[in-house]
Amino acid sequence: MKRVEKTPLIPYVFLRLLLRGEDFHEFSDDIDEIYQQMIDGGPKFRAKAWYWFRVIECIPSLIMDKIYWRLTMIKNYLKIALRNFQRHKGYSFINIAGFAIGMACCLLILLYVRHELSYDRYHKDVERVCRIVQDIRTQTANRVFAPISPMVAPTLKSDYPQVEYAARVRPASSRLVRREGTFFYEDRFMYADQELFDIFTIPFIQGNPQEALIRPNTLVVSQRMAIKYFGNANPLGNTLEINQQEYEITGIVKDSPENTQLKYDLIASLETLKDWDEMSNWYSTMFYTYLKLKPGVIVEEFSQQVSRLADKYVGEQLKSWGSTYHYFLQPLSSIHLHSHIRYETEPPGNPVYITIFSFVGLFILIIACLNFMNLSTARAANRAKEVGLRKVVGAQKLQLIGQFLGESLLVAFLSLGLAMVIAWFAIPLLNELTGISLSFDVLLSPIVLLSLIGGAVLVGMAAGLYPAFVLSAFRPAVTLKRATSAGTQGFALRTVLVVVQFAISVMLIIGTLTMYKQFNFMKNQYLGFEKEQKLILPLRGGINIQKNFASVKDMFSKHSSVTGVTVSSTVPGRGVSNFGVRLVGEDDSKNQSMFHMYFDDDFIHDYGIDMVAGRAFQKEMKTDFMGAFLINEAAVKAFGWSRPEDALGKRLLTGHGGRTNPIIGVTKNFHYRGLQSEVEPLVMEFLPWSFRYITLSIDITDLNNTLAFVGSQWKALWPGHPVEHFFLDTDFDRQYRADEQIGNVFGIFTFLGLFIACLGLLGLASFTAESRTKEIGIRKVLGASVGGIVLMLSKQFTKWILLANCIAWPVAYYFMDRWLKNFAFRIDIGIWTFMLSGVLVLLIALLTVSYQSVKAAVANPVDSLRYE
Amino acid sequence: MEMRLLSRAEEIILLAVFKLEGNAYGVPIRDRIHKDIGQHWSFGVIYKTLKKMSAKKYVRKIASSPVAERGGRSRYYYEVTPQGISALKEIHQVHSSVWNKVKDLSLEKKGE
């Protein structure tokens, strides 16, 4: 019978979408049957409405039905997947462990990168907050200072309506803080204006943030400090003594986050300093100045406008000196990574390391993914029968792809879970190693967690897509007949994957070795002075030995282990100050900026610094005391003299107050700063008011005794000040610590990357050995030796590793060459590093495959021939 | 092993198929249910339940020879299997033992 009336199109399409094949016809024909009857017996629209209604009322139950059967299939997939995990424990371990370690690396790197990028971004309205810094230009030099004059903040507020808030901050390290019996040195102390709390987000727990720092001698403390000094008592209204000065506590704030350039523990009011001469000095560079601009002010434009703000007040004076002050603004959030000017509040971050680590993380993740693809396709042989059977009973290709993708997603999620556990354990270790404080909690915030899950899905998909397509493309007739041959498909691709993995590993190893060599080189390089067996006593918390340094030296030399005592303004590796220097008689346009060091008459001798011309300071020569200069070879060059002897007798003008004295000697260049930088010109004076360090040259055979002696002498000299000491060599090497820590972390990731690559190789080797079981059996029957077979199986891998080396070497060379350019004193990248890395990787790889090769080679041919 | 009891929908549909004695396909099953309980059920619910019961082997699906009205396609008839019969017996027994000793429920309610 011909269809009398066509069914309504839209519901028909609905059904078509929801149902397939037989189900669809059964269903639609039933509705159609009644529909046709209704068309015959009544108005058309009623029948149509009826049809519509029937279909719509069915939709919920049809969808439920679909989900029900889907779930049944998923249950089956899950069961099969778990069985597969169990049956091939080794493979599954390699897959999940490799993935998990890769992900854990990525998580940690993510945390690190996030930490670095999040610096000072948490403040309210941070896009309006900036720091104003100063470029001091003289005819000869151009120096950019982060701290500037205290006059700038008030001037900005009175002259420029664009500025909403302005605050000055003067950090001062190592204050002696005392309350009743307890006293400690605290490093995170600063003076600040009240408006700091309007610019930085510093949440108050107690006290009034509007007026905490208005009066002199008021103090805001962090929660940590409140507990340290007051325990359970309420600190508010109480006092703390800091460097012999009483402060009233007016506020308690939350502890400083780690990702800010101003880490605070104690914030004293800047009003405290109001009577200090420096407070009205336009030429001083001591105060960091932070601004919050009014909404709508464009930072770059405003930066231009304030450039010459000092001219109105001191322009004439500056002009007479031949110098100009240029001010400019830096957005607060960009300072940590992108500002590298003089006297930053803390060592700046390095965007290069962020890039490097992002790449390393990506590399490791790629290695883990490649591994997964590699192993899954290699294992295809084992799954071929299953695929064949599923296809025979009606599985569609899409379904199979779904199944295998699902399986890799499952692995990805298991790995993510495991990776979180690994990260949880690794973070404390990493913090210790790097000196950064990363926190695991970040990973648990909903957004991060969601994106991690998203990431796991992506990675699972990326790793699972290729195997899924390969597996689902098997033709049942072929796979059911011959089970193992299918696995050899895609062999070329797998080779490429292995080569890429090892190329990456080799690169990472070369990187690590080069870094270690460079750090070692820096540590063992002769610095131009003796850095061993030097015990340093820093004088902090207001100790002054300007008057009595001679008797202090005597006190400490009264022990047989102490072979020398010298006092100085700084020791190598600690900061040096710089001032403009010129020859007497030249005008101030000839000023050159040079570093200065002040020490007594024993310093040159105790430190074993060589003289190239003239003589060192001598006790007998009374004029040496505050009346003579030493310079180093670099300074000789800077003044343009060809021989060191030419410098002798020339008179210099330098420093605060402009001292004019003759040069009496030239020292050989010695590294008073780390080896990252060249030795720059240095001027040395015998100037007691700046002595801050005592250096004891000691014999370390009886260290405990010596330290006890030092302690008792200290107590006799300065009761109430805790004694501190450190060794010069370790302290000096601390300058490399930031780089070295990065090197350590790099090393760890290299190891992990290699480990993951080896896991992959192991899996692949065992697969290769397995798929050639029969061949090996026949070879043995025909008389091949065990050694011969091991060699045959290893040869292939060796070729791959060699190829990987060829790819890795040039790339590694390029990057390490660039990295080494950071250091003024650096090693040559020797071919040996490359050879060593290559051989190392080859050995590790061969060791990895040897287990499988030997196992295959010694197997009894009777068993292997019966195999399959 | 204890068999899981039939659900109410399964029971109603299974009984409808049983009573239709060989003429059980979609349209008559739906009519039968309407006669039995006075409600029109959607085809979706009916087929969903039939599919589950096929998987449990309570009903068997039989394709007829091609039917002209259906454009030469088969009609699919359902038949209760012996397992289906015993499931029905069981639910019947459960009903009677559950309802046993319950006297005039409606009167008591009205008396309140």
Side-chain angles (χ1 to χ4, degrees), chain B residues 11-85:
Chain B
E11 183 189 344
I12 290 166
I13 292 170
L14 201 55
L15 277 172
V17 173
F18 184 70
K19 283 189 256 181
L20 283 167
E21 286 175 353
N23 188 29
Y25 71 96
V27 182
I29 294 175
R30 186 163 175 273
D31 289 345
R32 185 73 242 169
I33 292 169
H34 177 59
K35 269 179 212 148
D36 285 350
I37 62 168
Q39 289 173 6
H40 280 299
W41 280 15
S42 80
F43 281 107
V45 171
I46 294 170
Y47 277 118
K48 185 180 92 176
T49 318
L50 279 172
K51 214 161 147 191
K52 265 188 214 167
M53 287 200 293
S54 310
K56 289 183 194 163
K57 306 257 166 60
Y58 290 161
V59 292
R60 188 161 52 219
K61 193 167 161 184
I62 302 158
S64 73
S65 46
V67 181
E69 301 138 55
R70 302 209 154 182
R73 283 187 296 271
S74 298
R75 199 177 259 156
Y76 294 94
Y77 288 96
Y78 288 86
E79 188 183 82
V80 184
T81 62
Q83 285 107 304
I85 302 281

Side-chain angles (χ1 to χ4, degrees), chain A residues 611-630:
Chain A
M611 301 296 297
V612 290
R615 56 174 181 85
F617 300 131
Q618 281 167 3
K619 200 173 264 141
E620 302 76 44
M621 305 292 289
K622 293 294 171 219
T623 49
D624 286 359
F625 184 71
M626 299 176 69
F629 291 123
L630 298 178

